[in-house]
Amino acid sequence: MPALSAGCWERRTWDRSSRDWSARCAPAPFLQVSTRLRFLLAAHRGSTRRVATVLGVSQRAVQRWVTKKPGARRPPGPTQIRAIEDAVLARWQPRVRARLRAQAEAEGFVFHTRARFGFAAPAGSSDDPRVRWITQGLPGEVARELFAARDAGAGEQQQTAILARALGHAYFRDGGRRAHGLHIAFSEVEFADFSIC
């Protein structure tokens, strides 16, 4: 999976996306690994042992990352940087995330994607599955269903199925006014992003 960018990612789950809504307003210095480590240490009352447990590394590794002794500091590797990032995003601004969740469930959200999407139709049809850029407003019921699935431990495949059904209904079926009973194909997600209406 590529590194984080300001507003896009490849094949991320709804869980990661909901955290990213609030992470976009993080201050610029917070993007440094050393600042993220200090945040985790503050969240765990300065305990390198607790931070190490959260990150799945040894206590000594965390001590090497945060030491102030010249020559003794060692930077974390790419896997550890990703674990640090995930741990920080999981703890960053929980009230903002809760407010955004409530807003998405009440008012809906906008889903932006580039994926192979369409009906199972004859080749050459305008509805034939092909790579499309889609920006579609989805109702709050879809957000509630996605959050409920995530809270129940649903994987990416189940969340993608929920999004495919919702996109098919809103995009192709025009809210249930046409194209009833056709099977939606939604695969090969290259890009996915969510924004609040």
Side-chain angles (χ1 to χ4, degrees):
M1 193 177 293
L4 274 177
S5 62
C8 65
W9 57 88
E10 290 186 17
R11 301 184 66 81
R12 291 203 186 159
T13 61
W14 177 256
D15 178 44
R16 178 75 184 217
S17 303
S18 64
R19 287 191 312 222
D20 285 346
W21 279 341
S22 62
R24 289 182 190 158
C25 56
F30 196 69
L31 299 177
Q32 297 175 355
V33 175
S34 59
T35 308
R36 291 176 178 178
L37 282 168
R38 283 196 304 273
F39 173 80
L40 287 175
L41 281 169
H44 294 285
R45 299 182 182 153
S47 171
T48 54
R49 177 176 294 152
R50 289 183 189 157
V51 173
T53 303
V54 167
L55 298 177
V57 297
S58 69
Q59 181 180 2
R60 184 68 189 121
V62 175
Q63 290 169 344
R64 279 191 221 108
W65 298 339
V66 298
T67 187
K68 296 188 191 290
K69 293 180 185 175
R73 178 174 272 184
R74 300 284 185 265
T79 305
Q80 289 85 16
I81 289 174
R82 180 55 130 197
I84 292 166
E85 176 184 284
D86 288 343
V88 168
L89 288 178
R91 289 160 181 78
W92 181 250
Q93 298 184 335
R95 288 183 290 189
V96 172
R97 285 197 319 272
R99 187 182 73 231
L100 289 171
R101 176 179 176 159
Q103 186 178 357
E105 289 177 349
E107 301 171 13
F109 63 98
V110 178
F111 181 57
H112 313 274
T113 188
R114 178 177 161 83
R116 183 166 299 281
F117 184 62
F119 284 122
S125 164
S126 64
D127 292 338
D128 189 36
R130 65 179 186 272
V131 175
R132 303 172 193 248
W133 280 98
I134 296 175
T135 298
Q136 182 66 47
L138 296 173
E141 295 83 39
V142 176
R144 281 191 291 279
E145 189 176 357
L146 284 166
F147 278 118
R150 184 203 60 187
D151 294 345
E156 182 178 346
Q157 189 174 25
Q158 293 161 316
Q159 294 177 39
T160 301
I162 293 168
L163 284 171
R165 189 176 62 247
L167 278 174
H169 183 73
Y171 185 80
F172 277 117
R173 295 188 187 113
D174 195 20
R177 290 188 280 275
R178 61 186 175 96
H180 303 287
L182 295 175
H183 177 68
I184 302 294
F186 183 64
S187 60
E188 299 175 29
V189 177
E190 296 175 13
F191 166 84
D193 196 4
F194 303 87
S195 58
I196 299 292
C197 298

